[in-house]
Amino acid sequence: MTYRYKVALIFLIGFFIDCINIFMSAVALPSIAHDMQVSTSSVAWVANAYILGLTLIIPVSTWLAGRFGSREILTASMLLFSGAVWMCGMAGSFHELVIWRFVQGIGGGLLIPVGQALTFNLFQGPQRAKISTLVMAVALIAPAISPTIGGVIVDSSSWRWVFHSNIPFSLIAAALSWLWIKEARPASLARPDIKGLLLVSTALGSLLMGMSLYGGDYPPLAALSCLMLGVICVVLYVLHYRRCDNAIVELSLLKSKKLSTSIFIYYAIPGVFTGVNLLSIFFLQNSLHFSAKLTGMFMILYASGAFIAMLVCGRVYNRFGARRLFTLGMLLHSAGIATLYLVDSAADLPIIVIAYCLMGIGGGIGANTAQTTSLMDFQGADTHKGSVIWNINRQMSFSIGAALFLMIYNLLLASLASTPAYHLTFVIAAVMGLLPLLQMSNLTTQKECHAQHNR
């Protein structure tokens, strides 16, 4: 195995662990709530704490890799992750579980952007599409299989083993990182942007906290205060960025149409799908009385459609270009979401199958194209900086998607019955998933891109 594929394998293992921890733990939430006697809104912090820790550490991960070395950081991240998941499984109280989930997220957040930057720097040009296809295959296979596996673990043993089952993967990633990574440390390293780090961390933490509080049983003023604090910190960071020579998040990279469009697409497809799928789970189980196992199996349909789409997308990306693939992906994905509007009873199972297949195919095309396109304009250190922005976006899109559509559904419940509220939320989601179409004219076509390089 060549060096670049060794690095890619380490990143893919870490990425797989990250994905299954978002989706597998969700299956265990009812058991955790029952065992630890907490409410549904409170138990959501098992997921929120992980995403919060993951998101807050991403901005500083690149500096840490430069300061201590990529090999050392990747190894330490997986060892920290291993210890944290063990403690999650051993937690004696809910607050202890939430704290260790936060630590677990820190471990995962160190590996993802560093591993992605190392990998993408080794795969340039047309090869970027191939490695992006592997990345997105992991991003879809993990959510497809992890709910079913998690359900089997919970039913046959305990929710604690949902966390313990991660340990072999994280220890393997730690060992391979130490043995295989050979990246040299930079000769000189700029002083870290501590003020920027504090502003970015406070902004992300406040925004996630505000959205989580709004979706739970908390006073609206508390949620609004957190959201306002997050917005204020964003404004303060922009002002700070203009005066700082080595800002922790390099906003100038957003001038890249490829990166900014890919970010928009990620909110419109994976972000929207996260919220739609969460609502769909409640709709199918609570309104149509489907079993949890059957509900989880629809993700297999989604992943199958997405996997096939990604294989095709990886082959045709350089011929058709990002603009056409983005457009096709959005249209198919939103068509699948809109199809859920037609579901009224358990007899509509074939319609649900069609909906998830369409969402899977469209999601596979859109997400894979975004992953391929996002960092295409960057090389070297800029790839690391772009990876930080991209991975913050990836995590935030999941959180915002879930919070946004739960909020919309709850607002609609004030004037509609449960099923019509679900239906109208799906329609709104389908429309919102098409918003990036307005930006497609700004994206350089593949042929134009080749012409610019040839001049």
Side-chain angles (χ1 to χ4, degrees):
M1 185 184 297
T2 61
Y3 176 68
R4 64 176 182 172
Y5 278 103
K6 288 180 179 179
V7 174
L9 178 60
I10 294 170
F11 168 58
L12 290 173
I13 293 174
F15 190 57
F16 175 80
I17 295 171
D18 172 43
C19 291
I20 64 174
N21 265 277
I22 293 175
F23 292 92
M24 184 184 287
S25 61
V27 179
L29 293 183
S31 295
I32 294 173
H34 179 268
D35 191 19
M36 295 193 164
Q37 298 182 342
V38 295
S39 66
T40 302
S41 58
S42 295
V43 80
W45 277 100
V46 174
N48 292 338
Y50 177 78
I51 294 177
L52 187 61
L54 196 78
T55 305
L56 294 185
I57 198 63
I58 284 175
V60 77
S61 60
T62 299
W63 181 85
L64 289 173
R67 173 65 177 84
F68 298 102
S70 297
R71 182 180 74 161
E72 288 77 7
I73 287 299
L74 291 176
T75 303
S77 71
M78 286 294 94
L79 291 177
L80 178 64
F81 189 97
S82 301
V85 292
W86 174 259
M87 294 306 298
C88 285
M90 299 297 293
S93 68
F94 179 69
H95 291 96
E96 185 180 346
L97 174 60
V98 170
I99 290 171
W100 284 113
R101 279 289 279 176
F102 179 79
V103 176
Q104 183 188 354
I106 291 176
L110 283 171
L111 182 139
I112 301 303
V114 176
Q116 182 181 26
L118 287 175
T119 301
F120 277 39
N121 274 332
L122 294 171
F123 290 84
Q124 296 291 336
Q127 296 172 340
R128 183 70 61 84
K130 295 180 181 179
I131 193 64
S132 294
T133 298
L134 291 176
V135 172
M136 294 313 301
V138 171
L140 289 164
I141 291 173
I145 64 175
S146 55
T148 303
I149 295 174
V152 171
I153 292 174
V154 171
D155 291 341
S156 62
S157 180
S158 165
W159 61 264
R160 298 179 184 274
W161 281 98
V162 169
F163 299 106
H164 288 163
S165 62
N166 288 275
I167 295 177
F169 297 103
S170 54
L171 290 179
I172 289 172
L176 294 180
S177 297
W178 185 259
L179 294 173
W180 285 352
I181 299 296
K182 300 177 182 178
E183 295 296 311
R185 301 184 192 181
S188 61
L189 191 66
R191 183 179 179 181
D193 177 20
I194 300 299
K195 182 178 180 180
L197 174 62
L198 292 175
L199 287 173
V200 169
S201 298
T202 304
L204 296 177
S206 299
L207 291 172
L208 287 174
M209 181 77 74
M211 288 184 290
S212 299
L213 292 177
Y214 194 88
D217 302 324
Y218 300 94
L221 182 60
L224 182 60
S225 299
C226 288
L227 291 173
M228 288 300 297
L229 177 60
V231 172
I232 291 171
C233 287
V234 169
V235 174
L236 290 175
Y237 179 78
V238 172
L239 296 175
H240 164 75
Y241 170 78
R242 294 173 179 174
R243 301 189 300 267
C244 182
D245 295 329
N246 187 40
I248 193 74
V249 176
E250 186 55 60
L251 298 180
S252 65
L253 297 183
L254 293 174
K255 294 178 182 178
S256 165
K257 295 296 183 183
K258 291 184 176 67
L259 177 59
S260 58
T261 302
S262 297
I263 287 175
F264 199 3
I265 290 291
Y266 221 83
Y267 279 96
I269 295 183
V272 167
F273 176 75
T274 301
V276 168
N277 185 56
L278 182 61
L279 284 175
S280 178
I281 289 173
F282 284 108
F283 175 51
L284 296 177
Q285 291 190 29
N286 295 341
S287 297
L288 304 188
H289 307 294
F290 282 15
S291 67
K293 180 181 178 181
L294 179 57
T295 303
M297 290 180 68
F298 290 123
M299 279 300 296
I300 298 177
L301 292 174
Y302 176 89
S304 299
F307 185 70
I308 294 171
M310 287 191 306
L311 290 177
V312 175
C313 189
R315 292 178 176 272
V316 304
Y317 179 88
N318 294 312
R319 185 178 9 166
F320 290 98
R323 184 192 298 178
R324 291 179 181 178
L325 292 174
F326 277 147
T327 301
L328 178 61
M330 283 184 285
L331 291 174
L332 291 174
H333 185 254
S334 286
I337 297 173
T339 303
L340 291 174
Y341 178 83
L342 304 175
V343 178
D344 288 311
S345 68
D348 294 325
L349 182 61
I351 299 177
I352 303 173
V353 170
I354 293 172
Y356 269 84
C357 286
L358 285 173
M359 286 188 289
I361 295 171
I365 294 173
N368 184 73
T369 304
Q371 183 74 48
T372 302
T373 306
S374 59
L375 303 181
M376 192 166 281
D377 286 340
F378 312 123
Q379 293 183 358
D382 281 347
T383 307
H384 286 264
K385 295 176 181 178
S387 180
V388 168
I389 295 175
W390 176 249
N391 282 285
I392 290 175
N393 155 74
R394 189 173 70 88
Q395 299 302 330
M396 290 295 290
S397 69
F398 297 149
S399 300
I400 290 176
L404 175 62
F405 293 109
L406 279 173
M407 179 189 72
I408 292 173
Y409 171 72
N410 288 328
L411 290 174
L412 292 174
L413 273 180
S415 55
L416 296 174
S418 177
T419 297
Y422 279 121
H423 285 165
L424 185 53
T425 305
F426 293 144
V427 172
I428 294 172
V431 173
M432 294 184 68
L434 296 175
L435 291 179
L437 287 174
L438 301 174
Q439 193 173 335
M440 287 299 101
S441 60
N442 296 326
L443 191 64
T444 304
T445 64
Q446 196 69 12
K447 291 181 179 180
E448 291 171 346
C449 184
H450 286 318
Q452 291 173 3
H453 285 301
N454 291 332
R455 289 172 184 172

